[in-house]
Structure formats: C-alpha cells, structure tokens
Amino acid sequence: MAATEELAFHEFEEATNLLAETPDAATSSKSELTPQGHVAVGLGGSYGVEDEVEESDKTAVLDRIKGSLLPRPGHNFVQNHLRHRPDLYGPFWICATLAFVLAITGNLTLVLAQRRDPSIHYSPQFHKVTVAGIIIYCYAWLVPLALSGFLWWRKGIRERMGPYTFLETVCVYGYSLFIFIPTVVLWLIPVPWLQWFFAVLALALSASGLVFTLWPIVREDTRLVASVLLSAVVLFHALLVMGCKFYFFQPLTPEHVAPPPQDTSLLPNPSLIPTSPRT
C-alpha cells in the first residue's frame, strides 16, 4: 500500500513539473482554432465544431425546403440543393409532421362542424394518426423504391442514363411533401371550392418539382418511356392528395349526425285510447 501511494505521489509531482515547464499545454487542448477562424472551446475543442456542423445542417435543411416550395424549369433539386449529399432527417420529420397534421385537422373538421350544427355527434378518431402515418411513410419510401428500381433497370438498356441513388430519390420525395403541411391546415376552411383550389395548387407545385428533377434523367430514354414515367409520377402524387382529402376530410356519414328530437307532446297517450268492450 505504501509503495502504491508513493508511486501516485511521484506521478502527480512529475505532472506538476511538466505543467510548470509548458504552461500553454493546458489550454491548447481546450481552445483550438477551427478552419473557419472560430474558436472552439470545450473538451478537446469539439463543442464549437459540433455546434457549427449542427447549424450548417439546419441551414441545409431550410434551403432544401425552400427549394421544394419554388420549383422552376431548369432547376434540378438534386444538383442545386442536395449536391449528392442526401439526408433522411428532413424527409423523416416532414412525413411525421404531415401525418400528425392530417390526423389532427381531420378531427378538427368534425369539431368545427359540430359547433356549426349541434345535431352532429363527434367522437375522437385516434386511429387516423396510425392511418396517416402508414399512408405517408409507405408513399415516401415505396414509391421512390419502385422508381429507383425502374431507373436502374432502364440504365441497363440505355447506358447514357445515370439514375439517382435510392437515398437521393427518397430525399426528393420527402421534401416534395412539405408543401402539403400548410395546405392541410388551410383545408380547415369550410369552403369546398377553396379547399380544392389549395389542393390543386399544392399538387401542381409539388409534382412539378418532381418532374423538373427527374427530367434530366428520363430524357435520355425514349419519348414514350419518359412520358409514361413522368405521367405515373404525377398520377401517384394526385392519388395521394385525393385519397387524403376524401378520407380525412370526407363528408359526414349518417352515424355522425344525431337524429332530430321527436316532439312527444303530440303523441297520443296510450291510457286515453278507448278500447272496444269485450263480449
């Protein structure tokens, strides 16, 4: 035991002497100059770098969201925004937010209808959260999977075609769904033609972004295949919008409408009805 304590004491004394000889060594590991000229303070100088990387990731996600909202001809989402660095953070939370917004606004539609008409019976429909999540996530993953597989198959036939990777296709589809989040909120306005106007506008912007992104690839194929493929992309997008509109914002079914109260004051009293005498 005494030998162990003496050894520990000598190690501490040697460390003290080393710090006395090189006083700058204690601060060099906690304060480092990053390549951008910022000082990173923390254990090993990693906190500042991590904060800067996280901030740059948030900026990239916001830039990709803006790019998905403003598609234009000649503007490739993969080349101008992804830059072959796809992420799953943005698409995952966009799909999750859209699923919850669909379920919540679908329930709020019945609540607002009940306030306008007290005869409507409302009960919370929690199953819509599950249904919305299944629909959105299946669409955001299965459709890009089928599209990527088809493009890779066509690449074997048309060697000049260079399809995007599966993660890039998922990223494109995920960010294209962001515009439907404010659209679904606007569907709370109880004006049918205005709801369909917002639906068509959002569908046009979202689908055009997909078409402009896929066109540089499919144009290397035959005109028939390119036309059929882009038409299928737009058709599936339209089916998603129409399916969500009719399911989550469907007209009230008869079970949600309470029967009108009957006026029992005019009904005859059974005790006052005369009965024929028995023979």
Side-chain angles (χ1 to χ4, degrees), residues 250-271:
Q250 58 185 343
L252 295 177
T253 54
E255 59 266 18
H256 289 103
V257 181
Q262 297 181 354
D263 190 2
T264 58
S265 61
L266 300 179
L267 294 178
N269 191 349
S271 61

Side-chain angles (χ1 to χ4, degrees), residues 211-226:
V211 171
F212 294 153
T213 302
L214 294 174
W215 174 246
I217 292 179
V218 300
R219 68 181 177 184
E220 300 294 340
D221 210 325
T222 61
R223 182 175 299 180
L224 176 62
V225 174

